[in-house]
Amino acid sequence: MTTSAWIFLTVSWTMVTFAAGWCLYRVVVRKPDDGPRPKGSA
Amino acid sequence: MTSKERWASRIGLVLAMAGNAIGLGNFLRFPRLAAQYGGGAFLIPYFIALIVFGIPLMWLEWSMGRFGGRYGHNTTAGMFHEMWKSRAAKFIGSLGISLPLLFAVFYTYVESWTLAYSCFSVTRSYTDDSPRNETKPEKQTKVPSHDGGETTTTRQFLQEYQGVAETENRRFFDSLWPAIAFWIVTIALNGWVISNGLSGGIERLAKIAMPLLFLFASVLAVRVLTYGTPDPAQPDRSVANGLNYIWQPNFSALADFKVWLMAAGQIFFTLSIGTGTIQCFASYLKPDDDCALTGLTTATTNEFAEVVLGGTIAIPMAVATFGVATTQSIAAEGSFNLGFVAMPVIFEEMTAGWIFGAMWFLLLFFAGITSSVGMFQPFVSLLQDKYGASRRTAAGICAAIMLGLGLPVVLWLKTGYMDQFDFWIGTFGLVVLALAEVVVFAWLYRPADPSKPDRRLAPGEGFWREMTHAAEIRIPGITYYLLRYFVPLALVTLLAGWTVQSFREAILLEGTPVEHQSYLWAARGCIVAVVVAVAVLVRFAGNRKSVEEESS
């Protein structure tokens, strides 16, 4: 693989993996200061 | 609210929304487009389109849906009417019901191919070694292909399955009945899921299918990355070259307007924007549920599935097996060839390939069914909420419509009947509805000012309050300007670009054989008939509500 291909692959993968991971973390594992989620709330 | 249904859990909602977005396009269309339109450089317009109008429009649709749900509306018809007190609002909004229904007409058929092929992978039916073929050695024949004949058998298998092959010298299928059988099973499965309701059907399906989809995709991705150079005699045929082919940036491609159009179109397609399903799903949120973080989670999950998993499997595998030149010609012939012609050959050459083949097609089937059940939901909501139909009745009506409208798609595939649906609904219709929703919500929606009820908020203020309401993350302020000014202009440009690009071929049918043109006009007639029929249903639903309001 060429260096430019590596760069595009690494940057793209890192970006989307980090974004998806951060969002899922925030949704699944809520921070304590967010307070309790209302019961039955989606 | 007339409907008491709710999402059972937040993660269930995320999975259902992500399932709606993650479809066949993630694993077949994206890698083909990336390879064809600039490699790594394609990702530049792709990510720009994602940020400047994909995510903003997705947030707009989520908040529009939550807004509608607050007033008992689960479809864009009611939502548009609630935001814009005009006779035209409901009819334009009814596109959010008719478009996904029409989308499902051809999507469920393609989905049924994936179900069929997962069975064929297990039985190894699509090879020359299949038991049936062994009995008919005299019927060996060649189908024209651009890859030196390596995909001749699987190409013929697909063409015979679809009923588009010549009737003589058939090796695998004597009739279209197997395709019809799998198609009916697919519709029945969709109907069964819908009949079980929102949380009991769609959400439960997503909770099972989505983890399996990610598991299968991850296993296949690992298998691809460890595939190396399958034939040492041909060192250029390797996974590394495959990844290089898909990620090597060709910056000169960025000067081509078509590349930007394709990237923007892919963002629409992959996020399911402009179909009316996001609004419908979001209408089952509670008024104070978050849209910003939850919506972004579904979009980023979809992007992970597309860029990381989708970009790793099909194209690199094809290059490792066929080489770059052949993969280019396969990709140029379309996504289906990549998935249904090239991939079976690859699995055949691999140890325990039938397992990976079954995984690949099941993964596509899960991606397909989690999307298609969402396409029915706006129509189901209309029947339930405005016509008092039960879930089972609504699901039965949907299945009957699919069988009625889908049969010509199955029978007339060769004529390009399905391509008309793909263009007018899957390409053009999505942008038209997205343009309508951004104009109605960001320009025409003017609710009463909470501090001065006798005054109305300025255009754009109401939608921004609605979008940022109960948000668990801060929506960047630039999103307001993007949605108000940039997105409408970009969508008009997109529509104009597509119209100019495909005017002769897709609209005037130039280059289409004369004997096929009547079928294509029939497809257009079918599309218009459904759009009008749904608009009439919406109108009567409105009248009925008015009578109830008068009597009360």
Side-chain angles (χ1 to χ4, degrees):
Chain A
M1 275 179 80
T2 61
T3 310
S4 52
W6 264 116
I7 292 170
F8 268 82
L9 182 147
T10 311
V11 171
S12 302
W13 282 19
T14 307
M15 238 163 42
V16 294
T17 307
F18 175 77
W22 180 82
C23 288
L24 279 168
Y25 173 79
R26 283 291 306 267
V27 165
V28 178
V29 188
R30 287 163 68 101
K31 286 188 292 185
D33 59 354
D34 286 343
R37 195 182 305 167
K39 197 175 179 184
S41 167
Chain B
M1 279 185 66
T2 48
S3 172
K4 299 293 180 191
E5 284 193 286
R6 293 281 183 206
W7 297 103
S9 66
R10 192 180 191 189
I11 194 67
L13 164 67
V14 168
L15 289 173
M17 279 281 199
N20 178 47
I22 299 170
L24 302 175
N26 291 58
F27 296 94
L28 294 178
R29 198 168 186 261
F30 168 77
R32 181 182 69 81
L33 289 180
Q36 209 175 341
Y37 295 102
F42 179 79
L43 271 291
I44 295 173
Y46 177 84
F47 281 126
I48 289 175
L50 175 71
I51 291 166
V52 299
F53 71 82
I55 291 173
L57 269 173
M58 179 272 304
W59 273 329
L60 180 135
E61 293 197 347
W62 271 74
S63 48
M64 184 188 276
R66 183 185 57 185
F67 164 85
R70 193 182 302 149
Y71 297 97
H73 302 299
N74 300 116
T75 67
T76 47
M79 291 167 197
F80 276 28
H81 184 64
E82 198 67 48
M83 291 184 286
W84 179 35
K85 300 296 180 192
S86 160
R87 293 173 72 91
K90 274 187 185 178
F91 297 110
I92 298 173
S94 71
L95 285 174
I97 306 169
S98 52
L99 291 184
L101 195 65
L102 284 162
F103 211 122
V105 168
F106 69 93
Y107 198 86
T108 45
Y109 184 45
V110 178
E111 188 184 314
S112 74
W113 301 351
T114 63
L115 181 63
Y117 265 67
S118 25
C119 296
F120 297 150
S121 296
V122 175
T123 56
R124 303 185 68 189
S125 303
Y126 44 60
T127 68
D128 278 324
D129 303 328
S130 69
R132 181 192 156 117
N133 205 39
E134 280 170 7
T135 63
K136 295 186 175 181
E138 74 285 1
K139 289 195 171 182
Q140 298 289 318
T141 184
K142 293 287 177 191
V143 176
S145 70
H146 306 287
D147 57 11
E150 284 178 283
T151 61
T152 297
T153 305
T154 51
R155 189 183 300 271
Q156 177 159 4
F157 185 89
L158 178 66
Q159 289 178 344
E160 286 187 20
Y161 177 77
Q162 294 172 333
V164 300
E166 297 301 324
T167 48
E168 293 195 359
N169 295 324
R170 283 179 179 267
R171 293 160 60 191
F172 301 100
F173 300 100
D174 291 325
S175 72
L176 203 53
W177 279 112
I180 293 174
F182 276 106
W183 172 59
I184 290 172
V185 169
T186 304
I187 289 175
L189 283 171
N190 275 276
W192 179 69
V193 172
I194 298 162
S195 69
N196 281 300
L198 191 77
S199 62
I202 294 174
E203 187 174 346
R204 187 175 292 176
L205 169 74
K207 282 180 173 172
I208 298 167
M210 291 307 289
L212 280 175
L213 182 151
F214 278 102
L215 175 71
F216 289 172
S218 303
V219 169
L220 283 166
V222 169
R223 184 67 193 95
V224 173
L225 295 174
T226 55
Y227 201 44
T229 308
D231 184 0
Q234 302 192 70
D236 57 318
R237 295 186 175 190
S238 67
V239 170
N241 271 357
L243 288 170
N244 192 64
Y245 172 55
I246 200 168
W247 290 103
Q248 171 68 37
N250 169 19
F251 292 108
S252 63
L254 297 179
D256 186 356
F257 183 60
K258 192 178 179 185
V259 173
W260 292 81
L261 279 181
M262 287 298 170
Q266 178 61 16
I267 287 298
F268 255 87
F269 199 80
T270 192
L271 293 180
S272 294
I273 288 169
T275 61
T277 50
I278 291 180
Q279 288 98 325
C280 184
F281 275 13
S283 70
Y284 295 98
L285 287 169
K286 287 187 173 176
D288 294 324
D289 278 341
D290 157 80
C291 281
L293 175 61
T294 322
L296 189 65
T297 307
T298 62
T300 52
T301 306
N302 174 71
E303 288 311 308
F304 177 80
E306 182 152 297
V307 175
V308 178
L309 299 175
T312 306
I313 302 172
I315 291 281
M317 202 73 142
V319 171
T321 308
F322 304 114
V324 170
T326 303
T327 303
Q328 267 172 336
S329 64
I330 291 170
E333 286 176 5
S335 306
F336 293 149
N337 270 8
L338 182 65
F340 296 94
V341 174
M343 293 302 277
V345 176
I346 297 166
F347 295 127
E348 272 312 303
E349 294 184 4
M350 193 184 272
T351 310
W354 66 273
I355 297 176
F356 293 109
M359 272 189 180
W360 166 249
F361 289 112
L362 269 179
L363 138 78
L364 292 182
F365 177 69
F366 289 145
I369 194 168
T370 49
S371 299
S372 60
V373 290
M375 295 171 195
F376 295 111
Q377 188 58 33
F379 190 64
V380 168
S381 296
L382 174 76
L383 294 178
Q384 274 192 292
D385 298 341
K386 305 298 181 191
Y387 286 89
S390 68
R391 265 273 166 193
R392 282 178 189 278
T393 307
I397 291 172
C398 281
I401 290 173
M402 285 305 108
L403 289 173
L405 299 183
L407 197 58
V409 174
V410 178
L411 297 176
W412 298 339
L413 190 72
K414 195 178 186 176
T415 65
Y417 189 91
M418 187 169 85
D419 298 336
Q420 285 293 302
F421 277 73
D422 189 19
F423 177 75
W424 290 107
I425 308 300
T427 303
F428 219 75
L430 306 186
V431 185
V432 169
L433 183 60
L435 182 61
E437 66 196 25
V438 78
V439 169
V440 169
F441 204 16
W443 283 92
L444 302 174
Y445 172 51
R446 294 186 62 192
D449 189 338
S451 56
K452 294 175 185 171
D454 55 323
R455 288 182 58 187
R456 294 204 166 270
L457 293 174
E461 219 176 315
F463 105 89
W464 186 246
R465 285 185 183 212
E466 188 59 45
M467 265 183 74
T468 51
H469 173 70
E472 289 186 14
I473 52 169
R474 194 180 70 82
I475 295 180
I478 195 172
T479 311
Y480 172 86
Y481 298 100
L482 286 172
L483 284 170
R484 284 266 290 166
Y485 305 105
F486 175 76
V487 170
L489 279 174
L491 295 182
V492 169
T493 310
L494 207 58
L495 274 178
W498 273 332
T499 307
V500 170
Q501 189 189 57
S502 51
F503 190 75
R504 288 179 176 278
E505 194 183 336
I507 298 172
L508 298 180
L509 301 179
E510 279 188 11
T512 307
V514 179
E515 66 270 23
H516 288 174
Q517 290 191 3
S518 54
Y519 294 98
L520 307 191
W521 281 107
R524 293 175 179 190
C526 173
I527 291 168
V528 172
V530 171
V531 168
V532 171
V534 170
V536 169
L537 277 176
V538 166
R539 177 180 162 75
F540 278 111
N543 280 348
R544 207 176 83 138
K545 194 176 178 185
S546 299
V547 170
E548 284 167 0
E549 282 167 1
E550 280 172 19
S551 62
S552 62

